[in-house]
Amino acid sequence: MKLTKLVIAVDMDGTMLFADNRFHPLDVAFLKQDLPLTVIFATGRSLTGMRLPLTINGLIGESEPVPYPLVLHNGALVYLPGQRVHRHFAFEPGIAAELVQRVLAFPQDLAVVAQGEGREWLIRTSPYGGPRAIYYGYRPLAWQPGEALPVFSKLLCISDQPEVLKELEETLRSLPLEGNSSLGDLYEMTPKGVTKATGLNALLPALGVEDVPLITVGDGENDFTMLDMADLACAPANAHPPLKTHAQFIFDRSERGIFQPVLEAAMERLPLPEAVQGQLRAVMFTSG
């Protein structure tokens, strides 16, 4: 079943992912089928960070390219199926240099990872942030001040002290960037105007599905723009409270994962042809 009549874009951390980079077992089983819809993973993670849960959950092999279209770096890096780069919205060199200079001069303890096209660099580290970057799937290359500045489209700052991240946000406020705290120990930055909606708007026409109903599912600050562009905006019950006001459907992901409750809502709320609904029923699972 390859004729796509529905697109679902799903966030990772806090939405698809449970502990230890695991998906819900029903979601794994769902994704292993031949699906009558397009699944897009839309996340702040890098390519290595996105490959980690796909590998852990048995959806790709260690050397196999990712078969799903991807919106990474909170919209700044877009991949077509087969891990083919479609768009990379990198920071302009002058802004990138100023941003790195400010995070290096920041007096508080934190780790900083610069995310580029298919690789990332450790700009500075900390006892908490360094190991936490590995947990999120990053495998950063070493970088030292004085070396050529890499081309990157997202800067990730990690600290276990929320007040430190708030102070950092104030320090960087004058720069042209999009900043958010999608998780409690992260502050993420992309170029001004680049969000998950930017990435999806670049990706959907390339896939030929710009006129197909779009479902988006997310839980954090970096998901507002993605939910606001959807035909059906969904959020798990654990979502950031302000984000829930942008969702038309809120659900508990713990019992049945993401896809079954969201697709049930889509069949109830979207004007899908009966033939499409029949195809969806054929790939959905009962809660038992």
Side-chain angles (χ1 to χ4, degrees):
M1 287 183 284
K2 297 299 182 184
L3 185 60
T4 292
K5 297 295 184 183
L6 190 66
V7 177
I8 179 168
V10 189
D11 172 55
M12 294 299 291
D13 293 277
T15 305
M16 276 295 297
L17 289 178
F18 291 82
D20 300 321
N21 284 287
R22 292 286 179 181
F23 293 167
H24 193 285
L26 287 179
D27 287 336
V28 174
F30 178 84
L31 289 168
K32 287 184 175 180
Q33 301 177 99
D34 186 21
L35 298 174
L37 73 161
T38 296
V39 175
I40 299 169
F41 292 114
T43 175
R45 289 189 175 216
S46 66
L47 181 61
T48 53
M50 184 66 236
R51 289 185 58 86
L52 179 64
L54 293 177
T55 304
I56 287 174
N57 288 280
L59 295 169
I60 61 170
E62 291 285 350
S63 59
E64 182 182 358
V66 177
Y68 305 99
L70 304 173
V71 173
L72 305 180
H73 299 193
N74 286 338
L77 181 57
V78 180
Y79 282 87
L80 298 173
Q83 212 167 292
R84 295 172 291 149
V85 175
H86 177 58
R87 291 292 302 274
H88 187 211
F89 301 95
F91 280 101
E92 293 184 5
I95 296 171
E98 177 65 20
L99 181 55
V100 168
Q101 182 179 345
R102 291 196 193 185
V103 297
L104 286 174
F106 186 68
Q108 305 295 343
D109 204 30
L110 80 166
V112 180
V113 177
Q115 298 175 213
E117 187 178 307
R119 63 185 65 186
E120 54 264 359
W121 296 266
L122 189 63
I123 302 300
R124 60 181 284 184
T125 191
S126 69
Y128 173 84
R132 195 64 174 170
I134 300 299
Y135 171 82
Y136 285 123
Y138 294 99
R139 301 296 182 265
L141 302 172
W143 180 85
Q144 296 294 328
E147 296 179 354
L149 190 64
V151 176
F152 63 93
S153 55
K154 181 185 160 198
L155 202 68
L156 174 71
C157 300
I158 309 173
S159 172
D160 59 347
Q161 301 178 60
E163 64 276 11
V164 168
L165 296 178
K166 291 299 294 183
E167 182 181 344
L168 177 68
E169 181 180 1
E170 290 300 319
T171 299
L172 303 176
R173 187 173 295 279
S174 63
L175 293 179
L177 53 81
E178 300 288 338
N180 66 77
S181 298
S182 59
L183 296 171
D185 59 352
L186 305 181
Y187 185 65
E188 306 171 293
M189 291 155 278
T190 54
K192 186 69 176 178
V194 176
T195 67
K196 287 188 181 182
T198 308
L200 285 171
N201 281 324
L203 177 60
L204 295 176
L207 299 174
V209 294
E210 66 269 33
D211 296 322
V212 171
L214 172 66
I215 304 168
T216 59
V217 192
D219 76 301
E221 285 186 10
N222 58 350
D223 295 314
F224 278 105
T225 62
M226 183 171 77
L227 263 63
D228 287 345
M229 69 182 289
D231 295 290
L232 178 62
C234 307
N238 58 280
H240 184 53
L243 186 78
K244 292 181 182 180
T245 65
H246 292 244
Q248 299 154 290
F249 176 62
I250 299 171
F251 63 99
D252 181 358
R253 68 191 182 117
S254 61
E255 183 178 351
R256 297 190 295 159
I258 299 296
F259 293 106
Q260 181 165 327
V262 165
L263 291 177
E264 286 174 353
M267 289 192 291
E268 293 174 359
R269 301 177 186 217
L270 296 179
L272 301 176
E274 182 55 41
V276 174
Q277 295 201 33
Q279 289 179 328
L280 292 176
R281 291 189 193 98
V283 295
M284 289 167 60
F285 299 89
T286 64
S287 58

Short mmCIF file of all heavy atoms in Angstrom, two decimals, residues 31-65:
data_model
loop_
_atom_site.label_atom_id
_atom_site.label_comp_id
_atom_site.label_asym_id
_atom_site.label_seq_id
_atom_site.Cartn_x
_atom_site.Cartn_y
_atom_site.Cartn_z
N LEU A 31 4.83 0.18 12.77
CA LEU A 31 5.80 0.70 11.81
C LEU A 31 6.43 -0.40 10.95
O LEU A 31 6.96 -0.10 9.88
CB LEU A 31 6.89 1.48 12.55
CG LEU A 31 6.44 2.82 13.14
CD1 LEU A 31 7.50 3.36 14.10
CD2 LEU A 31 6.15 3.83 12.05
N LYS A 32 6.36 -1.62 11.39
CA LYS A 32 6.94 -2.72 10.62
C LYS A 32 6.02 -3.20 9.50
O LYS A 32 6.41 -4.09 8.73
CB LYS A 32 7.29 -3.88 11.56
CG LYS A 32 8.51 -3.60 12.43
CD LYS A 32 8.90 -4.79 13.29
CE LYS A 32 10.20 -4.51 14.04
NZ LYS A 32 10.61 -5.67 14.89
N GLN A 33 4.85 -2.62 9.39
CA GLN A 33 3.91 -2.99 8.34
C GLN A 33 4.11 -2.16 7.07
O GLN A 33 4.77 -1.12 7.09
CB GLN A 33 2.47 -2.81 8.84
CG GLN A 33 2.12 -3.63 10.07
CD GLN A 33 0.72 -3.32 10.54
OE1 GLN A 33 -0.21 -4.06 10.25
NE2 GLN A 33 0.57 -2.21 11.23
N ASP A 34 3.49 -2.60 5.99
CA ASP A 34 3.41 -1.81 4.76
C ASP A 34 2.24 -0.86 4.96
O ASP A 34 1.08 -1.26 4.97
CB ASP A 34 3.16 -2.76 3.58
CG ASP A 34 3.19 -2.03 2.25
OD1 ASP A 34 3.79 -0.94 2.19
OD2 ASP A 34 2.62 -2.56 1.28
N LEU A 35 2.55 0.43 5.12
CA LEU A 35 1.56 1.39 5.60
C LEU A 35 0.92 2.21 4.47
O LEU A 35 1.61 2.59 3.53
CB LEU A 35 2.21 2.35 6.61
CG LEU A 35 2.76 1.71 7.88
CD1 LEU A 35 3.51 2.74 8.71
CD2 LEU A 35 1.65 1.07 8.70
N PRO A 36 -0.37 2.51 4.61
CA PRO A 36 -1.07 3.34 3.61
C PRO A 36 -0.98 4.83 3.94
O PRO A 36 -1.88 5.60 3.61
CB PRO A 36 -2.50 2.84 3.71
CG PRO A 36 -2.66 2.53 5.17
CD PRO A 36 -1.31 1.99 5.62
N LEU A 37 0.06 5.25 4.62
CA LEU A 37 0.25 6.64 5.01
C LEU A 37 1.74 6.92 5.09
O LEU A 37 2.56 6.00 5.11
CB LEU A 37 -0.42 6.95 6.35
CG LEU A 37 0.22 6.41 7.63
CD1 LEU A 37 -0.28 7.16 8.83
CD2 LEU A 37 -0.07 4.92 7.79
N THR A 38 2.08 8.20 5.11
CA THR A 38 3.47 8.62 5.24
C THR A 38 3.74 9.01 6.68
O THR A 38 3.04 9.86 7.24
CB THR A 38 3.78 9.82 4.32
OG1 THR A 38 3.62 9.40 2.96
CG2 THR A 38 5.20 10.31 4.53
N VAL A 39 4.73 8.38 7.29
CA VAL A 39 5.16 8.71 8.65
C VAL A 39 6.44 9.54 8.55
O VAL A 39 7.42 9.12 7.92
CB VAL A 39 5.41 7.44 9.48
CG1 VAL A 39 5.99 7.82 10.86
CG2 VAL A 39 4.14 6.64 9.65
N ILE A 40 6.41 10.72 9.16
CA ILE A 40 7.58 11.62 9.23
C ILE A 40 7.97 11.76 10.69
O ILE A 40 7.12 12.03 11.54
CB ILE A 40 7.25 13.00 8.65
CG1 ILE A 40 6.84 12.90 7.18
CG2 ILE A 40 8.43 13.96 8.83
CD1 ILE A 40 6.26 14.19 6.62
N PHE A 41 9.24 11.58 11.00
CA PHE A 41 9.73 11.86 12.35
C PHE A 41 10.28 13.28 12.36
O PHE A 41 11.16 13.63 11.57
CB PHE A 41 10.78 10.85 12.77
CG PHE A 41 10.22 9.47 12.95
CD1 PHE A 41 10.60 8.42 12.13
CD2 PHE A 41 9.29 9.22 13.94
CE1 PHE A 41 10.07 7.15 12.29
CE2 PHE A 41 8.75 7.95 14.12
CZ PHE A 41 9.14 6.92 13.29
N ALA A 42 9.73 14.11 13.25
CA ALA A 42 10.10 15.52 13.35
C ALA A 42 10.64 15.78 14.75
O ALA A 42 9.88 15.73 15.73
CB ALA A 42 8.89 16.41 13.05
N THR A 43 11.92 16.09 14.85
CA THR A 43 12.59 16.09 16.15
C THR A 43 13.71 17.11 16.19
O THR A 43 14.18 17.58 15.15
CB THR A 43 13.15 14.67 16.43
OG1 THR A 43 13.91 14.67 17.64
CG2 THR A 43 14.04 14.20 15.30
N GLY A 44 14.15 17.42 17.38
CA GLY A 44 15.35 18.24 17.54
C GLY A 44 16.62 17.44 17.41
O GLY A 44 17.71 18.01 17.33
N ARG A 45 16.51 16.13 17.37
CA ARG A 45 17.69 15.27 17.34
C ARG A 45 18.46 15.41 16.03
O ARG A 45 17.94 15.85 15.01
CB ARG A 45 17.28 13.81 17.54
CG ARG A 45 16.84 13.48 18.96
CD ARG A 45 16.65 12.00 19.16
NE ARG A 45 16.35 11.68 20.56
CZ ARG A 45 16.79 10.60 21.18
NH1 ARG A 45 17.53 9.71 20.54
NH2 ARG A 45 16.47 10.40 22.45
N SER A 46 19.73 14.98 16.10
CA SER A 46 20.56 14.88 14.91
C SER A 46 20.27 13.56 14.21
O SER A 46 19.48 12.73 14.68
CB SER A 46 22.03 14.93 15.31
OG SER A 46 22.36 13.76 16.07
N LEU A 47 20.94 13.33 13.07
CA LEU A 47 20.76 12.06 12.37
C LEU A 47 21.22 10.89 13.22
O LEU A 47 20.53 9.86 13.30
CB LEU A 47 21.52 12.08 11.04
CG LEU A 47 21.38 10.81 10.20
CD1 LEU A 47 19.93 10.55 9.81
CD2 LEU A 47 22.26 10.90 8.95
N THR A 48 22.36 11.03 13.90
CA THR A 48 22.82 9.94 14.76
C THR A 48 21.84 9.71 15.91
O THR A 48 21.56 8.57 16.29
CB THR A 48 24.22 10.22 15.31
OG1 THR A 48 24.25 11.50 15.94
CG2 THR A 48 25.26 10.16 14.22
N GLY A 49 21.31 10.81 16.46
CA GLY A 49 20.33 10.69 17.54
C GLY A 49 19.03 10.08 17.09
O GLY A 49 18.35 9.40 17.86
N MET A 50 18.66 10.29 15.83
CA MET A 50 17.44 9.70 15.28
C MET A 50 17.65 8.23 14.94
O MET A 50 16.75 7.39 15.12
CB MET A 50 17.03 10.48 14.03
CG MET A 50 15.72 10.02 13.40
SD MET A 50 14.28 10.33 14.43
CE MET A 50 13.63 8.66 14.55
N ARG A 51 18.83 7.90 14.46
CA ARG A 51 19.11 6.50 14.12
C ARG A 51 19.12 5.60 15.35
O ARG A 51 18.78 4.42 15.27
CB ARG A 51 20.46 6.39 13.40
CG ARG A 51 20.47 6.94 11.97
CD ARG A 51 21.82 6.67 11.31
NE ARG A 51 22.10 5.24 11.31
CZ ARG A 51 21.68 4.40 10.36
NH1 ARG A 51 20.96 4.83 9.34
NH2 ARG A 51 21.98 3.11 10.45
N LEU A 52 19.52 6.16 16.50
CA LEU A 52 19.66 5.35 17.71
C LEU A 52 18.37 4.63 18.08
O LEU A 52 18.35 3.39 18.20
CB LEU A 52 20.17 6.21 18.87
CG LEU A 52 20.34 5.50 20.21
CD1 LEU A 52 21.41 4.42 20.13
CD2 LEU A 52 20.71 6.53 21.29
N PRO A 53 17.23 5.32 18.29
CA PRO A 53 16.01 4.58 18.64
C PRO A 53 15.49 3.70 17.51
O PRO A 53 14.90 2.65 17.77
CB PRO A 53 15.01 5.68 18.99
CG PRO A 53 15.53 6.91 18.32
CD PRO A 53 17.01 6.78 18.33
N LEU A 54 15.70 4.11 16.25
CA LEU A 54 15.26 3.25 15.15
C LEU A 54 16.02 1.92 15.16
O LEU A 54 15.46 0.86 14.89
CB LEU A 54 15.44 3.96 13.82
CG LEU A 54 14.56 5.18 13.57
CD1 LEU A 54 14.90 5.83 12.23
CD2 LEU A 54 13.06 4.81 13.61
N THR A 55 17.30 1.99 15.51
CA THR A 55 18.11 0.77 15.60
C THR A 55 17.73 -0.05 16.83
O THR A 55 17.53 -1.28 16.75
CB THR A 55 19.61 1.13 15.65
OG1 THR A 55 19.94 1.92 14.50
CG2 THR A 55 20.47 -0.11 15.66
N ILE A 56 17.61 0.61 17.97
CA ILE A 56 17.26 -0.09 19.22
C ILE A 56 15.93 -0.82 19.08
O ILE A 56 15.76 -1.94 19.59
CB ILE A 56 17.22 0.91 20.39
CG1 ILE A 56 18.64 1.33 20.78
CG2 ILE A 56 16.48 0.33 21.60
CD1 ILE A 56 18.69 2.43 21.82
N ASN A 57 14.98 -0.21 18.38
CA ASN A 57 13.65 -0.80 18.25
C ASN A 57 13.51 -1.74 17.04
O ASN A 57 12.41 -2.19 16.72
CB ASN A 57 12.61 0.32 18.16
CG ASN A 57 12.41 1.01 19.49
OD1 ASN A 57 11.70 0.52 20.37
ND2 ASN A 57 13.05 2.17 19.67
N GLY A 58 14.63 -2.05 16.40
CA GLY A 58 14.64 -3.04 15.33
C GLY A 58 14.01 -2.59 14.03
O GLY A 58 13.61 -3.42 13.21
N LEU A 59 13.96 -1.26 13.79
CA LEU A 59 13.34 -0.74 12.57
C LEU A 59 14.35 -0.51 11.45
O LEU A 59 13.97 -0.41 10.28
CB LEU A 59 12.59 0.55 12.87
CG LEU A 59 11.38 0.35 13.81
CD1 LEU A 59 10.84 1.69 14.28
CD2 LEU A 59 10.29 -0.44 13.12
N ILE A 60 15.64 -0.39 11.78
CA ILE A 60 16.70 -0.34 10.78
C ILE A 60 17.90 -1.13 11.31
O ILE A 60 18.06 -1.32 12.52
CB ILE A 60 17.15 1.10 10.45
CG1 ILE A 60 17.72 1.80 11.68
CG2 ILE A 60 16.01 1.89 9.83
CD1 ILE A 60 18.39 3.14 11.37
N GLY A 61 18.75 -1.58 10.39
CA GLY A 61 20.00 -2.20 10.77
C GLY A 61 21.08 -1.16 11.00
O GLY A 61 20.91 0.02 10.66
N GLU A 62 22.22 -1.58 11.55
CA GLU A 62 23.29 -0.65 11.91
C GLU A 62 23.78 0.16 10.71
O GLU A 62 24.11 1.33 10.85
CB GLU A 62 24.46 -1.43 12.53
CG GLU A 62 24.16 -2.01 13.91
CD GLU A 62 24.17 -0.95 15.00
OE1 GLU A 62 24.59 0.18 14.72
OE2 GLU A 62 23.77 -1.27 16.13
N SER A 63 23.86 -0.45 9.53
CA SER A 63 24.38 0.24 8.35
C SER A 63 23.30 0.58 7.33
O SER A 63 23.60 1.03 6.24
CB SER A 63 25.46 -0.62 7.68
OG SER A 63 24.92 -1.88 7.30
N GLU A 64 22.05 0.39 7.69
CA GLU A 64 20.93 0.61 6.78
C GLU A 64 20.49 2.08 6.83
O GLU A 64 20.35 2.65 7.91
CB GLU A 64 19.77 -0.30 7.19
CG GLU A 64 18.55 -0.22 6.30
CD GLU A 64 17.43 -1.11 6.81
OE1 GLU A 64 17.63 -1.81 7.83
OE2 GLU A 64 16.35 -1.09 6.20
N PRO A 65 20.27 2.72 5.68
CA PRO A 65 19.78 4.10 5.71
C PRO A 65 18.37 4.18 6.26
O PRO A 65 17.59 3.22 6.17
CB PRO A 65 19.83 4.54 4.24
CG PRO A 65 19.79 3.27 3.46
CD PRO A 65 20.48 2.24 4.30
#
